Amino acid sequence: AEGITTPSKEQVPPSQAETPVAVQLPPMSSYVTLGENNSIKMTCDIRASHQRGDQVIVSVVFSNLTDHTIKDLEFNVMDTMNLKLIRSMGSSHHDAIKVPFILLPSAQNEGQFAFNIQEIKVPQKLKGTLTYIVKMDEGSTHEKIDFKLTFPCSSFLVATPCKGSNFTSLLESGDLTEKSSIQFTPQDSEFPVVLAKVCFYHHFRVVEQVEKSASVYSKSMQGHHICLLVKMVNDSIKIDGKSTDGSLLSNVLDEIKTMLV
């Protein structure tokens, strides 16, 4: 298939491939900071629903940074035409969601919020506010923290296993009409680290890998295929991609580059 090919040598499954002792993968977390002030910190992780093509789940960890109890947490965002927070029956689109727990001093807890989404081909942003009460011996204070919730296109991808034969058939089928490529110098000089970050942060699965070249695959929550060939040449990374949607592909490639440089 023109524009992207699989590595030409015999494939070694990642689980059987020898990893050089010198290459140690860095700790990776999909949680990013959503907002922080003197009393509370929020980190979040965004995942596409595996069951529904129109829903994403945002997991938010609320951390109490004080020596006091925090209660009456209410989470709210400004809906857009494309992205809407799923609220309880009878609620209006202006209503906040009551977080179902209190935060004891220096404690943390996690809440999950579901969003309905229509268009996944471009990144999305929502403005939001968390209101809460800090309970102290001398009284209580009402506080709030504003935040921006960013939904990158990669958050709409689902890491999906794909056999080498199926990957090749997909490339040769003619269905992947959209192509895009990027080349850049990454911060990490070790190819296994680069590949691990692409798969972990952007929800891809390795199809096959030969030395410093790997085919990876992912599928969007709405069924778009994305096939990438990731290669390291000298100190540069080149990624050739094919997909059923050009906008989604180019945005995902931009997000990969932003994360790696």
Side-chain angles (χ1 to χ4, degrees):
E2 185 185 352
I4 178 171
T5 58
T6 56
S8 56
K9 296 183 183 177
E10 184 177 354
Q11 179 229 349
V12 179
S15 58
Q16 299 174 19
E18 291 185 13
T19 302
V21 178
V23 178
Q24 185 169 357
L25 297 180
M28 293 183 283
S29 172
S30 56
Y31 284 79
V32 297
T33 299
L34 183 58
E36 183 175 4
N37 59 19
N38 291 332
S39 54
I40 201 165
K41 179 179 180 179
M42 295 185 291
T43 57
C44 75
D45 173 49
I46 303 172
R47 296 275 169 174
S49 169
H50 288 230
Q51 286 78 35
R52 299 187 51 168
D54 63 348
Q55 202 170 102
V56 288
I57 307 298
V58 178
S59 300
V60 181
V61 175
F62 301 92
S63 301
N64 185 348
L65 306 180
T66 75
D67 297 327
H68 311 289
T69 297
I70 294 179
K71 64 174 188 174
D72 295 350
L73 293 89
E74 295 193 358
F75 181 92
N76 203 2
V77 296
M78 292 177 60
D79 290 347
T80 64
M81 291 292 290
N82 187 52
L83 197 54
K84 293 178 171 59
L85 176 62
I86 299 176
R87 297 168 171 86
S88 58
M89 290 286 290
S91 298
S92 80
H93 65 278
H94 297 296
D95 292 341
I97 291 182
K98 295 182 185 297
V99 179
F101 48 76
I102 64 170
L103 291 174
L104 297 175
S106 302
Q108 66 179 34
N109 207 337
E110 184 168 3
Q112 291 193 326
F113 306 90
F115 291 78
N116 278 334
I117 186 167
Q118 297 176 16
E119 179 62 66
I120 66 168
K121 299 174 184 178
V122 293
Q124 310 285 327
K125 281 188 180 181
L126 293 180
K127 291 181 179 179
T129 302
L130 179 77
T131 59
Y132 55 93
I133 294 175
V134 181
K135 189 178 179 182
M136 296 174 284
D137 294 338
E138 60 270 23
S140 299
T141 61
H142 290 257
E143 298 186 18
K144 73 165 188 170
I145 180 170
D146 296 321
F147 58 86
K148 285 185 180 178
L149 185 54
T150 301
F151 296 77
C153 285
S154 298
S155 66
F156 309 135
L157 302 184
V158 179
T160 307
C162 183
K163 294 180 181 178
S165 56
N166 294 343
F167 189 84
T168 302
S169 298
L170 195 55
L171 292 175
E172 294 174 347
S173 67
D175 295 336
L176 308 184
T177 55
E178 304 298 324
K179 304 175 192 175
S180 188
S181 298
I182 53 170
Q183 187 163 353
F184 54 89
T185 302
Q187 279 188 332
D188 299 293
S189 59
E190 298 286 354
F191 183 71
V193 176
V194 170
L195 185 60
K197 286 185 174 182
V198 169
C199 291
F200 181 83
Y201 290 111
H202 303 282
H203 311 143
F204 280 86
R205 285 285 187 94
V206 175
V207 179
E208 52 188 341
Q209 178 183 352
V210 177
E211 297 175 351
K212 295 185 177 183
S213 177
S215 300
V216 298
Y217 172 79
S218 189
K219 192 175 186 179
S220 83
M221 56 192 288
Q222 294 181 357
H224 306 96
H225 301 286
I226 299 185
C227 299
L228 304 181
L229 177 63
V230 185
K231 299 172 73 172
M232 178 169 267
V233 182
N234 298 323
D235 293 329
S236 181
I237 286 288
K238 186 172 192 296
I239 304 178
D240 295 312
K242 294 189 78 173
S243 178
T244 46
D245 187 272
S247 177
L248 180 64
L249 174 61
S250 61
N251 279 312
V252 168
L253 290 182
D254 285 343
E255 290 166 13
I256 291 174
K257 178 180 177 181
T258 299
M259 184 267 301
L260 288 173
V261 297

